[in-house]
Each structure stands twice: as structure tokens, then as C-alpha cells.
Amino acid sequence: MLSLSCSEHKFEDKVKIQNNNKVVIAHRGASGYLPEHTLPAKAMAFAMGADYLEQDIVLSKDNVPMVIHDIDLETVSDVKLKFLKKKRNDGRFYVIDFTFDELKQLNVSERMNPITHKAVFPDRFPIFTSTFRLHSLQEEIELIKGLNKSTGKNIGIYPEIKEPAFHQKEGKDISKIVLKTLNDYGYKTKNDPCILQCFDAGELKRIRNEFKSELFLVQLMEFKKDEEKLEEISTYADGIGPWYKQIIEGKDKKGNWLISDLVEKAHKYNLKVHAYTFRADQLGDFRTFEELLKVVLYEANVDGVFTDFPDKAVQFMNKN
């Protein structure tokens, strides 16, 4: 573990890494400003200059890949008001129990606590105001490709396959369906602007080995034990996606940031590191969002960041 002090490592004196080596991933779109995973949030993130827009993917009853973070609906929609009879015995409303047409009838809101109906992030877009809808992966790809054409940009997509084991228990092969959609739209190899991610290591191995996918694959991580598997991960994936607190482990007694060796080890196995999730309204021990980005991107040498505030990350990187 390394202990870095501001006096020992002045950011202004560090050798600057070219910005094109560092990427900004719009986490669920510009979700700091508009309800997550809505097309307006994606269009806003595109305009803000993010390198990639993230899509979390869950299947509908009729096998349409839907862009939504959770396998259930009650935290971001008015499903209780419109489809109360579709509630399962555990009290949850699952995307997989609804057809695409039914899902399109829901109003989408800023993320909330389904019991208290209070916003998870109270200073963001007001709950259930304006009009937002769920959409499919196809619809989002067509939006991004359309914007790329009209602007001359080449913004990428960054889909995540959500809970493949759950889908398999429900009789659905989500990876097969998502890969077909990506292939249909020309996302096939590492040269294409698409990065595919998943927490399930077995499923990522299946995507690489059984489906023979040549896409850039990222193994998402959330536990300390995952860090011990970097060599194995490098045999089927091209990068890792750890929680940033697996990299920045707080401060020592002198107030210096403690940086783990995770990024250094990953780079030895030629794995890119895209860390999550950077929120300007949830800074933890950091004084400013800029300080958080500085430590993670340039002191810890992370290759990319998932952020709810892509404009702030892009502005920071353009200045540095």
C-alpha cells in the first residue's frame, strides 16, 4: 500500500497522461441531472462529451433487452399504480413479468425508496415530474448511432448484462439475446465502440469461450477476494471494473491518501481499470469532486471512471 502526500506529489508537477488514454463513462447517462437510464439522460450525456454511455440490460417477458438498472421496477417507476396484480409473492415487480408494450406504459422517475417514496438523491431531478419512459437497448443504440452520425462523433456504448443467473432460472438466455442485438448493430470486435461488462465471471467466460465474442470485456468487481483473481481474469477479459474504494482506501494518520496496488497489478496483466461510481453529490472524505478525480485518475492511474456527472469529469480532464 502506498501513502501519497500532496507535498510529495504535486499534481501540477506530475507528468500529464494524454486524455485519450482516460475515458469518461456516463453512469446510467447523465443521471446526476435527469432520471437514470432515460433517453433524455443519454442525450444529455452525449452532449456533455462522455466517451461511453452505459446501458444496464434486463429482459422483458417477450425477450426485449430493456435498459434499466434493476431486475425489478418499483424503485424507478409507478408500476404499483398501474400493474398491482403483477406483484410477486415477495412484494416485488419484476421486469421479466412484463411485455415490452406494458413496460412502455410506465412513468419513470428519479430513483426512490419504494417504501418511503423519498428520493435516494434528494437534490437531483424531482420525483415523478415531467414525462420519462423505459426504452429498449435497440432504441438507445439507434439514438446514439443517430447522434454519432449527425454530430460526427464516435461515442461508444457500455452495456452491462444484469443478473444472468436470475434470467437463466426464468428460462431466458440474456447473454445470447444481448450479443445478437449488439452484432445486429455492428458491435462485434474490440475495434468497435462497445465495451461489455458483467459481475458474473462465469457468464463473461461463457461470452468469450462459448459464444466466441471478440468484444472488449470488463469483469466488474465488488469484493476484496476478486482482486486475487487478476491473472485468471486476464485470460477472458480485457479490463476490470472495481468500486473506487477498492483503490482509494481512506487516509493514514497523517492525512495522506492510501492507494492500493490493485491498478498496478491489473496493468501488469494488461487489464484496463474502469472504476465506479463517481458522484459530485456523494464525496465521502473528499473535499471536492476535482480532488476525487485527481487522486483516482492521476495518482492511482485509473484508466476510466463511471460518473453520474459526465460534464464535470470531462471538464476536469480537459483542464488537466
Side-chain angles (χ1 to χ4, degrees):
M1 184 180 296
L2 304 175
S3 176
L4 300 176
S5 68
C6 291
S7 61
E8 291 171 334
H9 294 282
K10 291 183 179 179
F11 179 57
E12 293 80 3
D13 295 337
K14 291 177 71 68
V15 175
K16 294 182 179 179
I17 300 173
Q18 292 297 320
N19 279 352
N20 61 12
N21 289 335
K22 308 282 187 181
V23 296
V24 174
I25 304 127
H27 182 247
R28 310 180 201 175
S31 55
Y33 304 101
L34 286 165
E36 65 184 54
H37 283 321
T38 58
L39 289 179
K42 300 304 172 71
M44 188 175 194
F46 187 103
M48 287 175 167
D51 298 292
Y52 291 88
L53 308 185
E54 183 194 35
Q55 304 80 29
D56 292 306
I57 310 299
V58 178
L59 291 183
S60 69
K61 185 176 183 179
D62 45 354
N63 294 326
V64 177
M66 300 298 297
V67 180
I68 182 172
H69 181 265
D70 302 317
I71 58 174
D72 54 13
L73 291 155
E74 54 269 23
T75 56
V76 293
S77 80
D78 62 350
V79 65
K80 291 181 180 179
L81 298 178
K82 292 181 175 169
F83 293 100
L84 186 59
K85 292 182 180 180
K86 284 183 172 286
K87 179 172 64 175
R88 288 198 184 184
N89 292 335
D90 61 3
R92 299 168 71 184
F93 297 81
Y94 289 88
V95 176
I96 208 165
D97 293 332
F98 293 76
T99 66
F100 176 71
D101 289 341
E102 289 171 334
L103 292 168
K104 278 292 192 179
Q105 297 176 40
L106 299 175
N107 288 322
V108 172
S109 172
E110 177 68 31
R111 179 167 289 272
M112 61 185 172
N113 182 307
I115 298 174
T116 65
H117 299 289
K118 291 184 178 180
V120 173
F121 299 98
D123 295 326
R124 297 189 182 183
F125 202 91
I127 286 179
F128 288 118
T129 56
S130 192
T131 302
F132 302 96
R133 297 282 186 242
L134 294 174
H135 63 274
S136 68
L137 175 61
Q138 294 95 317
E139 289 175 300
E140 182 161 335
I141 288 174
E142 290 178 0
L143 172 70
I144 295 168
K145 280 185 168 288
L147 285 170
N148 278 334
K149 181 179 180 181
S150 62
T151 63
K153 296 182 179 179
N154 191 29
I155 305 304
I157 63 172
Y158 208 127
E160 178 185 345
I161 292 177
K162 302 294 291 191
E163 301 202 34
F166 167 82
H167 284 87
Q168 287 167 6
K169 287 180 181 178
E170 297 287 329
K172 296 183 183 297
D173 191 339
I174 185 172
S175 294
K176 183 177 181 179
I177 293 170
V178 169
L179 285 170
K180 183 181 185 305
T181 301
L182 296 177
N183 272 299
D184 287 347
Y185 282 96
Y187 300 109
K188 300 177 180 180
T189 74
K190 292 181 179 64
N191 294 323
D192 300 315
C194 174
I195 296 176
L196 184 61
Q197 58 178 333
C198 189
F199 277 102
D200 189 317
E203 195 68 9
L204 271 187
K205 291 177 184 177
R206 182 170 174 251
I207 288 168
R208 181 67 85 208
N209 300 321
E210 180 180 332
F211 291 115
K212 307 297 183 184
S213 175
E214 297 178 17
L215 288 170
F216 192 108
L217 302 183
V218 165
Q219 175 67 67
L220 292 169
M221 302 168 61
E222 57 183 332
F223 301 113
K224 191 75 175 177
K225 63 181 180 180
D226 297 330
E227 300 174 21
E228 302 169 3
K229 302 175 182 178
L230 293 177
E231 183 175 6
E232 178 187 355
I233 290 170
S234 70
T235 64
Y236 63 87
D238 307 285
I240 59 170
W243 184 29
Y244 81 87
K245 290 190 178 181
Q246 292 175 265
I247 299 167
I248 310 300
E249 300 180 327
K251 290 184 175 181
D252 63 17
K253 293 180 180 179
K254 295 181 180 180
N256 302 318
W257 291 110
L258 298 172
I259 299 177
S260 77
D261 58 1
L262 176 58
V263 177
E264 182 181 358
K265 286 182 176 179
H267 285 166
K268 287 181 179 178
Y269 289 107
N270 295 316
L271 293 167
K272 294 289 187 181
V273 182
H274 296 164
Y276 65 88
T277 304
F278 296 83
R279 298 182 170 106
D281 53 358
Q282 199 177 64
L283 293 173
D285 295 330
F286 289 88
R287 293 168 296 178
T288 66
F289 193 54
E290 290 72 20
E291 180 189 23
L292 171 57
L293 292 174
K294 180 195 79 170
V295 173
V296 171
L297 283 166
Y298 294 105
E299 295 186 9
N301 198 26
V302 161
D303 301 293
V305 293
F306 285 85
T307 178
D308 296 5
F309 298 86
D311 58 328
K312 296 181 184 296
V314 169
Q315 289 166 12
F316 172 81
M317 290 171 64
N318 286 341
K319 287 189 299 184
N320 298 287

PDB file of all heavy atoms in Angstrom, residues 154-170:
ATOM      1  N   ASN A 154     -17.999   9.730 -32.295  1.00  0.00           N
ATOM      2  CA  ASN A 154     -17.982   8.271 -32.261  1.00  0.00           C
ATOM      3  C   ASN A 154     -18.097   7.802 -30.814  1.00  0.00           C
ATOM      4  O   ASN A 154     -17.243   7.087 -30.301  1.00  0.00           O
ATOM      5  CB  ASN A 154     -16.706   7.728 -32.910  1.00  0.00           C
ATOM      6  CG  ASN A 154     -16.770   6.225 -33.126  1.00  0.00           C
ATOM      7  OD1 ASN A 154     -17.845   5.661 -33.310  1.00  0.00           O
ATOM      8  ND2 ASN A 154     -15.616   5.580 -33.087  1.00  0.00           N
ATOM      9  N   ILE A 155     -19.173   8.243 -30.164  1.00  0.00           N
ATOM     10  CA  ILE A 155     -19.400   7.882 -28.760  1.00  0.00           C
ATOM     11  C   ILE A 155     -19.768   6.410 -28.672  1.00  0.00           C
ATOM     12  O   ILE A 155     -20.561   5.899 -29.467  1.00  0.00           O
ATOM     13  CB  ILE A 155     -20.520   8.753 -28.162  1.00  0.00           C
ATOM     14  CG1 ILE A 155     -20.203  10.246 -28.336  1.00  0.00           C
ATOM     15  CG2 ILE A 155     -20.732   8.416 -26.677  1.00  0.00           C
ATOM     16  CD1 ILE A 155     -18.891  10.686 -27.753  1.00  0.00           C
ATOM     17  N   GLY A 156     -19.198   5.720 -27.693  1.00  0.00           N
ATOM     18  CA  GLY A 156     -19.409   4.284 -27.571  1.00  0.00           C
ATOM     19  C   GLY A 156     -20.516   3.905 -26.605  1.00  0.00           C
ATOM     20  O   GLY A 156     -21.029   4.734 -25.846  1.00  0.00           O
ATOM     21  N   ILE A 157     -20.867   2.634 -26.631  1.00  0.00           N
ATOM     22  CA  ILE A 157     -21.839   2.081 -25.685  1.00  0.00           C
ATOM     23  C   ILE A 157     -21.107   1.167 -24.708  1.00  0.00           C
ATOM     24  O   ILE A 157     -20.049   0.620 -25.015  1.00  0.00           O
ATOM     25  CB  ILE A 157     -22.976   1.328 -26.391  1.00  0.00           C
ATOM     26  CG1 ILE A 157     -22.449   0.103 -27.151  1.00  0.00           C
ATOM     27  CG2 ILE A 157     -23.721   2.266 -27.340  1.00  0.00           C
ATOM     28  CD1 ILE A 157     -23.553  -0.786 -27.701  1.00  0.00           C
ATOM     29  N   TYR A 158     -21.696   1.002 -23.508  1.00  0.00           N
ATOM     30  CA  TYR A 158     -21.029   0.237 -22.451  1.00  0.00           C
ATOM     31  C   TYR A 158     -22.091  -0.588 -21.718  1.00  0.00           C
ATOM     32  O   TYR A 158     -22.429  -0.315 -20.575  1.00  0.00           O
ATOM     33  CB  TYR A 158     -20.339   1.208 -21.491  1.00  0.00           C
ATOM     34  CG  TYR A 158     -19.110   0.681 -20.769  1.00  0.00           C
ATOM     35  CD1 TYR A 158     -17.908   1.375 -20.812  1.00  0.00           C
ATOM     36  CD2 TYR A 158     -19.167  -0.480 -20.008  1.00  0.00           C
ATOM     37  CE1 TYR A 158     -16.791   0.928 -20.123  1.00  0.00           C
ATOM     38  CE2 TYR A 158     -18.066  -0.938 -19.314  1.00  0.00           C
ATOM     39  CZ  TYR A 158     -16.872  -0.226 -19.370  1.00  0.00           C
ATOM     40  OH  TYR A 158     -15.766  -0.677 -18.671  1.00  0.00           O
ATOM     41  N   PRO A 159     -22.668  -1.598 -22.401  1.00  0.00           N
ATOM     42  CA  PRO A 159     -23.758  -2.373 -21.794  1.00  0.00           C
ATOM     43  C   PRO A 159     -23.280  -3.315 -20.685  1.00  0.00           C
ATOM     44  O   PRO A 159     -22.165  -3.837 -20.732  1.00  0.00           O
ATOM     45  CB  PRO A 159     -24.316  -3.167 -22.973  1.00  0.00           C
ATOM     46  CG  PRO A 159     -23.186  -3.244 -23.946  1.00  0.00           C
ATOM     47  CD  PRO A 159     -22.380  -2.004 -23.778  1.00  0.00           C
ATOM     48  N   GLU A 160     -24.169  -3.513 -19.721  1.00  0.00           N
ATOM     49  CA  GLU A 160     -23.924  -4.495 -18.653  1.00  0.00           C
ATOM     50  C   GLU A 160     -25.029  -5.533 -18.665  1.00  0.00           C
ATOM     51  O   GLU A 160     -26.220  -5.195 -18.634  1.00  0.00           O
ATOM     52  CB  GLU A 160     -23.881  -3.839 -17.277  1.00  0.00           C
ATOM     53  CG  GLU A 160     -23.686  -4.864 -16.156  1.00  0.00           C
ATOM     54  CD  GLU A 160     -23.758  -4.299 -14.755  1.00  0.00           C
ATOM     55  OE1 GLU A 160     -23.675  -3.070 -14.601  1.00  0.00           O
ATOM     56  OE2 GLU A 160     -23.911  -5.096 -13.796  1.00  0.00           O
ATOM     57  N   ILE A 161     -24.656  -6.789 -18.695  1.00  0.00           N
ATOM     58  CA  ILE A 161     -25.617  -7.886 -18.576  1.00  0.00           C
ATOM     59  C   ILE A 161     -25.926  -8.082 -17.098  1.00  0.00           C
ATOM     60  O   ILE A 161     -25.058  -8.423 -16.305  1.00  0.00           O
ATOM     61  CB  ILE A 161     -25.060  -9.162 -19.218  1.00  0.00           C
ATOM     62  CG1 ILE A 161     -24.955  -8.966 -20.736  1.00  0.00           C
ATOM     63  CG2 ILE A 161     -25.932 -10.365 -18.888  1.00  0.00           C
ATOM     64  CD1 ILE A 161     -24.348 -10.110 -21.482  1.00  0.00           C
ATOM     65  N   LYS A 162     -27.190  -7.842 -16.732  1.00  0.00           N
ATOM     66  CA  LYS A 162     -27.595  -7.883 -15.331  1.00  0.00           C
ATOM     67  C   LYS A 162     -28.106  -9.272 -14.931  1.00  0.00           C
ATOM     68  O   LYS A 162     -28.959  -9.861 -15.604  1.00  0.00           O
ATOM     69  CB  LYS A 162     -28.712  -6.862 -15.068  1.00  0.00           C
ATOM     70  CG  LYS A 162     -28.339  -5.423 -15.418  1.00  0.00           C
ATOM     71  CD  LYS A 162     -27.239  -4.871 -14.547  1.00  0.00           C
ATOM     72  CE  LYS A 162     -27.685  -4.646 -13.126  1.00  0.00           C
ATOM     73  NZ  LYS A 162     -26.686  -3.863 -12.347  1.00  0.00           N
ATOM     74  N   GLU A 163     -27.568  -9.783 -13.861  1.00  0.00           N
ATOM     75  CA  GLU A 163     -28.043 -10.999 -13.196  1.00  0.00           C
ATOM     76  C   GLU A 163     -28.399 -12.139 -14.168  1.00  0.00           C
ATOM     77  O   GLU A 163     -29.549 -12.579 -14.234  1.00  0.00           O
ATOM     78  CB  GLU A 163     -29.234 -10.654 -12.301  1.00  0.00           C
ATOM     79  CG  GLU A 163     -28.873  -9.612 -11.246  1.00  0.00           C
ATOM     80  CD  GLU A 163     -29.799  -9.626 -10.060  1.00  0.00           C
ATOM     81  OE1 GLU A 163     -30.279 -10.726  -9.679  1.00  0.00           O
ATOM     82  OE2 GLU A 163     -30.037  -8.539  -9.508  1.00  0.00           O
ATOM     83  N   PRO A 164     -27.409 -12.630 -14.896  1.00  0.00           N
ATOM     84  CA  PRO A 164     -27.676 -13.716 -15.850  1.00  0.00           C
ATOM     85  C   PRO A 164     -28.226 -14.973 -15.191  1.00  0.00           C
ATOM     86  O   PRO A 164     -29.046 -15.676 -15.801  1.00  0.00           O
ATOM     87  CB  PRO A 164     -26.311 -13.966 -16.495  1.00  0.00           C
ATOM     88  CG  PRO A 164     -25.307 -13.360 -15.554  1.00  0.00           C
ATOM     89  CD  PRO A 164     -25.998 -12.202 -14.916  1.00  0.00           C
ATOM     90  N   ALA A 165     -27.814 -15.265 -13.962  1.00  0.00           N
ATOM     91  CA  ALA A 165     -28.311 -16.469 -13.277  1.00  0.00           C
ATOM     92  C   ALA A 165     -29.814 -16.363 -13.020  1.00  0.00           C
ATOM     93  O   ALA A 165     -30.554 -17.350 -13.159  1.00  0.00           O
ATOM     94  CB  ALA A 165     -27.559 -16.685 -11.969  1.00  0.00           C
ATOM     95  N   PHE A 166     -30.271 -15.175 -12.649  1.00  0.00           N
ATOM     96  CA  PHE A 166     -31.708 -14.950 -12.455  1.00  0.00           C
ATOM     97  C   PHE A 166     -32.461 -15.198 -13.756  1.00  0.00           C
ATOM     98  O   PHE A 166     -33.498 -15.877 -13.777  1.00  0.00           O
ATOM     99  CB  PHE A 166     -31.965 -13.526 -11.962  1.00  0.00           C
ATOM    100  CG  PHE A 166     -33.404 -13.103 -12.024  1.00  0.00           C
ATOM    101  CD1 PHE A 166     -34.289 -13.462 -11.020  1.00  0.00           C
ATOM    102  CD2 PHE A 166     -33.880 -12.354 -13.097  1.00  0.00           C
ATOM    103  CE1 PHE A 166     -35.627 -13.081 -11.079  1.00  0.00           C
ATOM    104  CE2 PHE A 166     -35.209 -11.972 -13.166  1.00  0.00           C
ATOM    105  CZ  PHE A 166     -36.086 -12.331 -12.161  1.00  0.00           C
ATOM    106  N   HIS A 167     -31.952 -14.666 -14.841  1.00  0.00           N
ATOM    107  CA  HIS A 167     -32.610 -14.854 -16.134  1.00  0.00           C
ATOM    108  C   HIS A 167     -32.636 -16.323 -16.533  1.00  0.00           C
ATOM    109  O   HIS A 167     -33.640 -16.814 -17.079  1.00  0.00           O
ATOM    110  CB  HIS A 167     -31.902 -14.021 -17.211  1.00  0.00           C
ATOM    111  CG  HIS A 167     -32.222 -12.560 -17.152  1.00  0.00           C
ATOM    112  ND1 HIS A 167     -31.529 -11.668 -16.356  1.00  0.00           N
ATOM    113  CD2 HIS A 167     -33.184 -11.825 -17.780  1.00  0.00           C
ATOM    114  CE1 HIS A 167     -32.042 -10.456 -16.514  1.00  0.00           C
ATOM    115  NE2 HIS A 167     -33.037 -10.523 -17.372  1.00  0.00           N
ATOM    116  N   GLN A 168     -31.549 -17.027 -16.267  1.00  0.00           N
ATOM    117  CA  GLN A 168     -31.499 -18.444 -16.617  1.00  0.00           C
ATOM    118  C   GLN A 168     -32.540 -19.243 -15.830  1.00  0.00           C
ATOM    119  O   GLN A 168     -33.186 -20.152 -16.366  1.00  0.00           O
ATOM    120  CB  GLN A 168     -30.095 -18.983 -16.382  1.00  0.00           C
ATOM    121  CG  GLN A 168     -29.092 -18.494 -17.432  1.00  0.00           C
ATOM    122  CD  GLN A 168     -27.650 -18.763 -17.044  1.00  0.00           C
ATOM    123  OE1 GLN A 168     -27.377 -19.413 -16.035  1.00  0.00           O
ATOM    124  NE2 GLN A 168     -26.720 -18.266 -17.848  1.00  0.00           N
ATOM    125  N   LYS A 169     -32.729 -18.893 -14.561  1.00  0.00           N
ATOM    126  CA  LYS A 169     -33.753 -19.562 -13.752  1.00  0.00           C
ATOM    127  C   LYS A 169     -35.152 -19.303 -14.298  1.00  0.00           C
ATOM    128  O   LYS A 169     -36.069 -20.114 -14.119  1.00  0.00           O
ATOM    129  CB  LYS A 169     -33.667 -19.089 -12.303  1.00  0.00           C
ATOM    130  CG  LYS A 169     -32.462 -19.628 -11.555  1.00  0.00           C
ATOM    131  CD  LYS A 169     -32.426 -19.120 -10.124  1.00  0.00           C
ATOM    132  CE  LYS A 169     -31.204 -19.633  -9.389  1.00  0.00           C
ATOM    133  NZ  LYS A 169     -31.134 -19.095  -7.989  1.00  0.00           N
ATOM    134  N   GLU A 170     -35.301 -18.157 -14.958  1.00  0.00           N
ATOM    135  CA  GLU A 170     -36.584 -17.800 -15.563  1.00  0.00           C
ATOM    136  C   GLU A 170     -36.700 -18.334 -16.994  1.00  0.00           C
ATOM    137  O   GLU A 170     -37.655 -18.035 -17.704  1.00  0.00           O
ATOM    138  CB  GLU A 170     -36.751 -16.281 -15.582  1.00  0.00           C
ATOM    139  CG  GLU A 170     -36.792 -15.645 -14.197  1.00  0.00           C
ATOM    140  CD  GLU A 170     -38.094 -15.906 -13.463  1.00  0.00           C
ATOM    141  OE1 GLU A 170     -39.139 -16.027 -14.136  1.00  0.00           O
ATOM    142  OE2 GLU A 170     -38.069 -15.988 -12.222  1.00  0.00           O
TER     143      GLU A 170
END
